Amino acid sequence: MNNKKVVVLAAGQGTRMKSKVPKVLHKLLDKKMIDYVIDAAKEAGADEICAVVGHKSAMVKAMIGESVSEFAVQKEQLGTGHAVMQAEKFIGTEGDVLILCGDTPLITAETIKKLFENHKNNENSATVVSVKLKDPTGYGRIIRENHSFLKIVEHKDATEKEREINEINTGVYIFKASDLSESFKELKNDNAQNEYYLTDCLEIIKEKGRRVGVMVARDENEFLGINSKLQLSRAAKVMKRRINEYHMINGVTIEDPDNTYIGKDVSIKPDTVILPGTVIEGKTEIGTDCVIGPNSRITNSIIKDGVTIQSSVLLSAEVDNYTTIGPFAYLRPNSKIGEHVKIGDFVEIKNSTIDDGTKVSHLTYVGDSDVGKNVNFGCGTVTVNYDGKNKFRTTIGDNAFIGCNTNLIAPVTIKDNAFTAAGSTITFDVPEGSLSIARAKQVNKPGWREKKED
Ligand code: UD1
Ligand code: CA
């Protein structure tokens, strides 16, 4: 069994994006457009992927990184055929090679699998995916003779009559590696754009008497090529709808799918409700019976069951069962929140563990801290973790009670069952079960007002 080899074309600049960022690195929702293409190829069983890079290749390479097996560099962008030629060594002469464009992120693994099957079943030398469009302007047209493939003519090279054809080349193909490599030798650039067209390889192969097939796809959305920011937003909308529908079919309630943005790699269990204005990104996992939103952003976080998150931001955080977050809470990286915890309004947590049953209800900063079970934070508590040079940890034992407006100057430990009086600035450890008062004693001066006004 041959390996499934894939070449992804990503050398173009994408002039019409009007951006300093290369086209394939622009994002739909939380992922770069080329990542969707690579993921679809992998899901369809690809095991060797070569990305052809050129424009700002160092940047593209760094951003794609390990997700492909190798890169080929196209120094000058002389056309799609020329781009594929740069991967000649990777393509070799064994088996087949799938060609995908880095700027068509809506392609699905199902379509790629069908293409592999279609190509194999028909014993083709090359198979191209076509689709019929109401408006085929700009695309290469599939020219047929007695219903079978003859050649592809680019819009710019097409005659008036050829331009009337609405079956277009999607830019997705499988070639028998040896036939593709052989066709490179005959590839010319005598066309309107003076480019080496990959599409001409099909004609060259056909002329050699080998079989070139066309697989007609149904969903034109899958092949939306992105050339401008306008097309990017259209494709993002299709992707957003596709992802939201997937979750709704799986039993997640999404109150307003037009106004909910869920990344492709997010998982959500049934009976969770997502309210409008919610953005869920990265490798976030959400359990069952949660209520998320409205107006929340959750990135790379793990949320267990029965959790409520309202108008809050969570970055690389973990939240255990039946905890409530927000409104207006900010959980920063490496925050681990236990079960039945309350993180209330205007509370920021950073790099801290908060154990089960603890309440941090209002206006509090907890940074670099280890907090036990059933601790109560009074309003306005601050863990003072930074001295201008270094960060220090605060430790708080089970059942401790932190009075309102307490500063805990780290490094410091509040032992189990200890109390701190409201308004205290705690600079050294508080033993188990004790009350610590660290504030000036109140002094009342009777009649002071009258004396002052005299
Ligand atoms: C191409 C096809 C056209 C098809 C359309 C589908 C050719 C000649 N034409 O046209 O038939 O209908 O796609 O979307 O193939 N690229 C390189 N190096 C180059 C040129 C392009 O890597 O020298 C890459 C681009 O980065 C892009 C992809 O190839 O990812 C497609 O190139 P593009 O210029 O957009 O081709 P189209 O004109 O859209
Ligand atoms: Ca294109």
Side-chain angles (χ1 to χ4, degrees):
M1 185 68 197
N2 279 311
N3 281 351
K4 282 187 172 154
K5 286 181 281 190
V6 184
V7 173
V8 179
L9 302 185
Q13 175 184 355
T15 329
R16 284 167 285 175
M17 295 300 276
K18 308 228 163 96
S19 171
K20 56 187 174 301
V21 178
K23 178 159 80 173
V24 295
L25 299 183
H26 285 267
K27 283 183 171 178
L28 287 80
L29 300 167
D30 59 343
K31 279 168 79 130
K32 298 181 286 296
M33 69 171 97
I34 191 163
D35 290 341
Y36 290 98
V37 179
I38 292 169
D39 286 355
K42 284 186 180 166
E43 213 186 309
D47 34 27
E48 281 183 80
I49 302 176
C50 173
V52 180
V53 297
H55 176 73
K56 294 202 177 169
S57 60
M59 185 175 175
V60 179
K61 276 184 183 176
M63 297 292 280
I64 299 177
E66 311 268 282
S67 59
V68 297
S69 23
E70 60 183 88
F71 291 96
V73 180
Q74 185 193 26
K75 290 208 183 77
E76 267 183 291
Q77 281 72 66
L78 302 178
T80 50
H82 182 258
V84 176
M85 261 189 248
Q86 310 313 305
E88 201 168 356
K89 246 170 97 188
F90 170 83
I91 293 166
T93 51
E94 296 284 306
D96 296 324
V97 60
L98 168 73
I99 315 282
L100 297 172
C101 292
D103 67 350
T104 51
L106 298 172
I107 181 111
T108 63
E110 287 70 48
T111 298
I112 297 172
K113 280 185 201 159
K114 270 192 210 152
L115 176 61
F116 274 120
E117 273 169 38
N118 182 300
H119 179 78
K120 196 169 156 235
N121 294 343
N122 291 303
E123 295 176 4
N124 288 339
S125 174
T127 311
V128 53
V129 181
S130 77
V131 75
K132 287 178 180 151
L133 297 183
K134 272 200 203 87
D135 179 14
T137 311
Y139 288 96
R141 307 298 205 280
I142 306 279
I143 313 291
R144 290 173 181 265
E145 194 180 57
N146 301 326
H147 304 294
S148 53
F149 178 88
L150 184 65
K151 60 178 177 175
I152 292 171
V153 177
E154 288 307 296
H155 183 89
K156 284 181 181 153
D157 301 295
T159 62
E160 281 300 311
K161 196 139 180 44
E162 287 168 335
R163 283 185 186 181
E164 280 167 21
I165 296 170
N166 72 345
E167 185 183 14
I168 63 105
N169 167 26
T170 63
V172 178
Y173 330 76
I174 293 186
F175 288 92
K176 199 175 162 198
S178 54
D179 288 340
L180 179 61
S181 295
E182 210 186 307
S183 71
F184 289 150
K185 292 180 198 128
E186 292 173 41
L187 201 55
K188 296 195 186 74
N189 66 347
D190 51 354
N191 50 51
Q193 304 184 83
N194 289 323
E195 285 186 0
Y196 296 92
Y197 291 164
L198 178 62
T199 46
D200 288 348
C201 295
L202 295 164
E203 194 183 348
I204 294 167
I205 291 168
K206 171 87 185 176
E207 276 171 1
K208 290 200 158 76
R210 307 206 172 119
R211 195 192 290 272
V212 177
V214 183
M215 182 177 106
V216 187
R218 276 200 212 113
D219 183 7
E220 61 182 85
N221 272 335
E222 277 194 47
F223 308 100
L224 220 121
I226 294 170
N227 298 313
S228 67
K229 298 244 168 100
L230 185 64
Q231 286 170 325
L232 180 68
S233 83
R234 283 185 192 141
K237 211 170 169 178
V238 174
M239 185 58 79
K240 179 179 74 172
R241 197 188 324 127
R242 203 187 268 177
I243 294 169
N244 288 348
E245 283 174 3
Y246 165 84
H247 289 294
M248 288 187 281
I249 287 165
N250 276 348
V252 176
T253 302
I254 300 181
E255 196 166 87
D256 182 0
D258 288 338
N259 199 12
T260 302
Y261 304 81
I262 302 174
K264 185 101 196 301
D265 298 335
V266 170
S267 74
I268 310 175
K269 294 218 172 106
D271 283 323
T272 279
V273 178
I274 315 283
L275 299 174
T278 297
V279 181
I280 309 176
E281 303 169 308
K283 298 209 183 318
T284 294
E285 294 170 22
I286 297 179
T288 183
D289 295 327
C290 296
V291 180
I292 312 289
N295 304 321
S296 295
R297 176 170 174 227
I298 303 177
T299 304
N300 291 319
S301 294
I302 297 174
I303 315 294
K304 295 283 176 61
D305 302 334
V307 172
T308 301
I309 296 174
Q310 204 189 139
S311 301
S312 293
V313 175
L314 282 73
L315 310 175
S316 304
E318 288 181 35
V319 180
D320 212 336
N321 301 324
Y322 307 109
T323 281
T324 69
I325 309 285
F328 315 115
Y330 183 20
L331 268 53
R332 292 169 53 200
N334 202 24
S335 295
K336 291 197 174 72
I337 317 294
E339 293 189 13
H340 293 283
V341 170
K342 179 180 180 193
I343 306 292
D345 52 279
F346 305 103
V347 171
E348 176 176 336
I349 313 273
K350 186 213 83 174
N351 189 27
S352 296
T353 57
I354 311 272
D355 211 335
D356 302 345
T358 287
K359 290 187 165 59
V360 195
S361 298
H362 353 251
L363 303 161
T364 290
Y365 172 65
V366 180
D368 304 311
S369 300
D370 300 295
V371 179
K373 292 183 176 44
N374 302 314
V375 172
N376 189 83
F377 281 81
C379 176
T381 301
V382 176
T383 56
V384 183
N385 60 330
Y386 186 50
D387 66 1
K389 271 195 183 141
N390 297 302
K391 300 263 169 79
F392 302 95
R393 288 195 84 79
T394 297
T395 306
I396 301 175
D398 296 344
N399 306 308
F401 183 100
I402 311 299
C404 287
N405 221 12
T406 296
N407 295 312
L408 301 167
I409 313 283
V412 71
T413 298
I414 314 296
K415 293 280 176 62
D416 291 355
N417 299 309
F419 274 66
T420 70
S424 290
T425 292
I426 306 292
T427 52
F428 51 88
D429 294 357
V430 180
E432 190 172 338
S434 15
L435 166 67
S436 179
I437 309 171
R439 65 185 185 215
K441 238 194 176 122
Q442 182 171 336
V443 181
N444 290 344
K445 300 194 170 178
W448 181 85
R449 177 76 180 259
E450 246 173 48
K451 273 183 227 155
K452 186 185 175 225
E453 279 167 8
D454 285 347

